[in-house]
């Protein structure tokens, strides 16, 4: 075979297959106008940026309402944390905006549809009930796929990941007024942790539980600093990393994490050993670095945090295909390529992009190189003889 493969016969529409719906091409029955849902959809912004801005506005408004009602009409809201709360609202807008733009692309839209469909599929849960927890633990939590590249990179990424998770679980609820720590005596040592005004836990600030409660962010900083430091060192020493790195995209996130962590630890150092010396300056520096990072997240490298759950769904989509023995074999050599649903998903994406060579998805990488080489020898190089 020397010519590029022709599209498979399955691509051609079957004769006599209906492509419309009864009553017209838009699916409405004769004599009826558009439904309320259709009229509402017609009023939505047509452009991708318009839909993304609308999604961002809706999510931001929902978060503001959650802050107001979660803090019991701002009764538990700390006005000193207002800049962090405002930055989190901008973060919600940016994440919703960027996510909407991302899923508007053909490839991401299919990833979103198939990935989340697999995550919430009752059929998948019934057949393989342990698959989803296993994927979340190994792919999202432990991130074993990074260990195949480098054990050091995996360990550093784990430090950053769990440090940021711990910091987020503490910072956001406190910022929004959902968590409060109160003392009946005003100065302790007995404290109560309340969530939405309801007492959850009482503890003594002088024992190990109290120390962990009040130093959770310090623990998170201790985890993040060595992880971010390793990646910063690697990007300054590794030639492969230096070649393709960009300062704003690759270096700024690492510097931001280190600055946030170091200033946070310095605040604790100042309060314990310096009797509050320089605390106000450090607090402002820490606040500026956190606010900048929260606003940067949706539009920089940190956005992969939001994308990762969809990738977990795609892994589950491939896993369930293997369980059904839906493995697609190369049309030329018969070697297994991937699951049948995954190959069809790739072909569908290429058709959506109008690339015109989606049939090549049915060949393994080696056969693609052989076919291209043969085509070059027979169709191009022969002209130079």
């Amino acid at each position: 075979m020397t010519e590029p493969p022709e599209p498979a016969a399955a691509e051609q529409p079957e004769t006599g297959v209906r492509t419309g719906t009864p009553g017209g091409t838009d699916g409405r029955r004769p004599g009826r106008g558009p439904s309320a849902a259709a009229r509402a959809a017609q009023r939505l912004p047509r452009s991708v940026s318009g839909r993304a801005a609308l999604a961002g506005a809706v999510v931001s408004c929902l978060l503001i309402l959650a802050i107001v009602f979660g803090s019991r009409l701002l009764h538990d809201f700390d006005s000193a944390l207002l800049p962090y709360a405002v930055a989190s609202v901008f973060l919600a807008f940016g994440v919703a905006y960027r996510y909407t733009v991302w899923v508007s692309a053909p490839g991401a839209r299919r990833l979103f549809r198939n990935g989340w469909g697999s995550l919430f599929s009752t059929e998948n849960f019934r057949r393989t009930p342990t698959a989803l927890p296993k994927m979340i633990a190994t792919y999202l939590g432990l991130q074993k796929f990074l260990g195949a590249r480098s054990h050091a990179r995996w360990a550093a990424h784990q430090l950053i990941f769990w440090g940021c998770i711990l910091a987020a679980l503490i910072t956001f609820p406190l910022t929004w007024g959902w968590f409060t720590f109160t003392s009946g005596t005003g100065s302790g040592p007995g404290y109560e942790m309340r969530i939405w005004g309801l007492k959850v836990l009482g503890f003594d600030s002088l024992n190990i539980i109290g120390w962990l409660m009040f130093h959770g962010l310090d623990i998170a900083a201790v985890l993040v600093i060595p992880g971010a430091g390793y990646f910063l060192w690697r990007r300054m020493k590794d030639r492969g990393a230096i070649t393709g790195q960009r300062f704003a995209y690759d270096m700024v996130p690492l510097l931001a994490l280190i600055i946030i962590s170091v200033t946070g630890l310095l605040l604790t150092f100042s309060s314990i050993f310096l009797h509050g010396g320089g605390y106000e300056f450090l607090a402002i520096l820490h606040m500026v670095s956190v606010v900048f990072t929260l606003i940067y997240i949706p539009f920089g490298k940190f956005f992969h945090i939001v994308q990762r759950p969809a990738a977990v769904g795609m892994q589950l989509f491939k896993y369930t295909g293997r369980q059904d023995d839906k493995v697609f074999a190369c049309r030329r050599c018969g070697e297994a390529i991937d699951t049948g649903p995954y190959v069809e998903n790739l072909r569908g994406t290429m058709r959506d992009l109008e690339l015109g060579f989606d049939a090549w998805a049915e060949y393994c990488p080696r056969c693609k190189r052989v076919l291209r080489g043969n085509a070059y020898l027979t169709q191009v190089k022969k002209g130079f003889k």
Side-chain angles (χ1 to χ4, degrees):
M1 182 184 297
T2 59
E3 298 293 332
E6 296 294 330
E11 290 184 65
Q12 307 301 328
E14 297 180 8
T15 305
V17 175
R18 297 179 184 177
T19 57
T21 54
T25 57
D26 57 358
R28 297 195 305 267
R29 294 182 178 179
R32 292 190 179 184
S35 63
R39 291 196 300 269
Q42 291 173 359
R43 288 194 293 268
L44 292 176
R46 297 285 182 172
S47 65
V48 173
S49 59
R51 293 195 302 271
L54 178 61
V58 170
V59 172
S60 299
C61 291
L62 291 176
L63 178 57
I64 292 173
L65 292 176
I67 293 174
V68 172
F69 290 104
S71 61
R72 298 189 299 165
L73 300 180
L74 303 182
H75 180 269
D76 297 329
F77 186 81
D78 188 352
S79 59
L81 302 178
L82 180 61
Y84 298 99
V86 173
S88 66
V89 173
F90 277 98
L91 168 65
F93 177 89
V95 167
Y97 183 96
R98 178 80 184 277
Y99 204 91
T100 304
V101 172
W102 175 58
V103 299
S104 297
R109 184 167 57 247
R110 285 182 172 272
L111 172 68
F112 179 86
R113 186 187 306 119
N114 293 325
W116 287 105
S118 298
L119 278 176
F120 296 106
S121 172
T122 55
E123 182 181 356
N124 289 343
F125 179 78
R126 185 171 57 253
R127 289 184 304 169
T128 55
T130 61
L132 180 57
K134 186 185 300 182
M135 291 288 178
I136 293 176
T138 59
Y139 193 80
L140 191 60
L142 298 178
Q143 301 159 357
K144 288 188 174 181
F145 62 95
L146 290 173
R149 305 176 187 175
S150 168
H151 293 297
R153 290 176 63 184
W154 173 82
H157 202 280
Q158 283 287 286
L159 290 173
I160 295 176
F161 175 77
W162 290 112
C164 291
I165 289 293
L166 178 60
L169 291 176
I170 297 173
T171 301
F172 287 119
L174 283 175
T175 298
W176 298 336
W178 293 3
F179 282 5
T180 56
F181 294 92
T182 58
S183 172
T185 61
S187 59
Y191 282 87
E192 293 180 352
M193 184 179 73
R194 294 178 176 270
I195 300 178
W196 300 313
L198 302 175
K199 180 181 176 180
V200 175
L201 177 67
F203 60 92
D204 189 338
S205 62
L206 300 179
N207 60 22
I208 184 63
I209 296 178
W211 188 90
L212 292 173
M213 286 288 181
F214 288 117
H215 291 276
L217 290 176
D218 294 331
I219 296 172
V222 171
L223 292 175
V224 169
I225 288 175
Y230 168 80
F231 283 116
L232 190 62
W233 171 85
R234 180 176 175 272
R235 292 205 166 274
M236 292 188 295
K237 296 294 184 179
D238 187 87
R239 289 187 176 182
I242 293 173
T243 301
Q245 75 182 7
R246 292 168 289 173
F247 179 80
Y249 189 79
D250 296 298
M251 302 294 285
V252 167
L254 298 174
L255 293 173
L257 288 176
I258 292 175
I259 292 172
I260 291 173
S261 302
V262 170
T263 53
L265 290 175
L266 288 176
L267 286 172
T268 302
F269 181 84
S270 173
S271 62
I272 295 176
F273 298 104
L274 301 181
H275 306 289
Y279 193 92
E280 292 184 0
F281 170 76
L282 290 172
I284 293 175
L285 181 60
H286 182 73
M287 179 190 69
V288 170
S289 60
V290 172
V291 169
F292 167 80
T293 303
L294 291 178
I295 296 176
Y296 170 85
I297 285 176
F299 307 103
K301 192 170 186 176
F302 286 146
F303 184 67
H304 76 275
I305 300 171
V306 185
Q307 294 174 307
R308 186 63 64 188
V312 173
M314 199 62 189
Q315 293 297 317
L316 184 62
F317 174 69
K318 296 171 67 174
Y319 175 80
T320 54
R322 294 191 190 98
Q323 299 304 305
D324 295 336
D325 295 327
K326 298 179 180 178
V327 178
F328 193 93
C330 174
R331 286 178 56 185
R332 182 175 181 273
C333 68
E335 180 182 352
I337 301 176
D338 212 311
T339 63
Y342 183 80
V343 173
E344 182 55 35
N345 177 74
L346 177 60
R347 293 194 62 183
T349 300
M350 298 174 75
R351 286 194 296 266
D352 292 342
L353 294 172
E354 299 180 353
L355 296 178
F357 49 87
D358 55 281
W360 285 94
E362 298 182 355
Y363 294 84
C364 68
R366 178 181 179 277
C367 289
K368 289 177 186 177
R369 293 192 294 269
V370 171
L371 292 173
R372 285 196 298 267
N374 289 339
Y376 174 79
L377 289 174
T378 57
Q379 304 296 329
V380 178
K381 194 174 181 179
K382 69 177 184 179
F384 295 95
K385 293 181 179 179

